Amino acid sequence: MKYRSVGKSGLKISEVALGSWVTDLKGTAAENVTKETVKLAYDSGVNFFDCADAYSGGAAERFLGEVLKQYPRKELVISSKVYFPTGEGVNDRGLSRKHIFESIDQTLKNMQTDYLDMYFCHRKLGIGITTFSPLAQGLLTGKYRKGQPLPAGSRVTWADESETSSNGSDC
């Protein structure tokens, strides 16, 4: 199995993941087939297992959690998602802080684990984000000019100043 990095986080996941958008399989012939599928995936080097709280009213998370508990947790990368309705209440859906916190608590119980490695917003419309360095740390402001010296005290000179400072008071 080959593994890929998740951005610059240091987390490595298998190129193949096993998603578990399954229905409630308890007591069906498909239950054993699905358990064998998870085992085959794990034995083949798959470490990334994904689910969502809304799949089959939480049954998919409960099923996957039950199957995965036989494997060492430290070898697994487990993710789930939040957004879709998980109940009839007015706040049982969406990306409010309330719904996210209540959903993650239920997901952890469902999956019989203490933590998730990744938690996804199941939908990207209507949410706010905070961008990192939207002006490329000043490169897009015109502060830095090609062929000219770097402006004294600018962000790009901070590392050099702190490394050459004898007492560190410039940091």
Side-chain angles (χ1 to χ4, degrees):
M1 180 61 61
K2 292 182 182 177
Y3 299 88
R4 303 239 175 164
S5 295
V6 177
K8 295 180 181 180
S9 69
L11 184 65
K12 296 201 181 283
I13 58 173
S14 51
E15 284 186 333
V16 175
L18 184 66
S20 60
W21 187 9
V22 296
T23 57
D24 190 352
L25 299 174
K26 211 169 224 62
T28 68
E31 181 177 11
N32 288 333
V33 172
T34 306
K35 286 179 181 178
E36 286 301 314
T37 302
V38 173
K39 182 182 183 330
L40 179 61
Y42 178 82
D43 290 345
S44 299
V46 171
N47 72 345
F48 182 24
F49 297 88
D50 177 62
C51 206
D53 60 358
Y55 296 166
S56 300
E61 285 183 337
R62 289 188 295 277
F63 179 84
L64 186 61
E66 184 65 30
V67 176
L68 290 180
K69 75 179 185 179
Q70 66 184 307
Y71 304 108
R73 177 62 180 93
K74 69 179 191 164
E75 294 182 15
L76 305 174
V77 176
I78 300 174
S79 70
S80 194
K81 304 175 205 75
V82 61
Y83 174 79
F84 286 107
T86 54
E88 297 299 319
V90 66
N91 289 310
D92 290 341
R93 66 198 77 234
L95 296 174
S96 69
R97 181 180 192 275
K98 177 179 179 50
H99 182 62
I100 291 170
F101 273 73
E102 290 172 353
S103 292
I104 189 69
D105 287 345
Q106 187 60 54
T107 289
L108 295 174
K109 289 176 190 171
N110 288 347
M111 298 194 80
Q112 302 178 50
T113 189
D114 294 329
Y115 64 96
L116 292 179
D117 300 290
M118 293 188 282
Y119 197 46
F120 297 105
C121 296
H122 215 159
R123 283 293 180 262
K124 291 308 178 187
L125 302 175
I127 62 170
I129 61 169
T130 302
T131 58
F132 171 76
S133 192
L135 296 177
Q137 297 186 10
L139 293 175
L140 301 178
T141 65
K143 181 189 291 187
Y144 306 104
R145 303 271 183 197
K146 188 174 183 177
Q148 295 183 5
L150 297 173
S154 65
R155 179 180 215 155
V156 83
T157 64
W158 286 356
D160 291 338
E161 290 173 2
S162 65
E163 290 172 7
T164 59
S165 173
S166 60
N167 63 13
S169 61
D170 294 336
C171 296

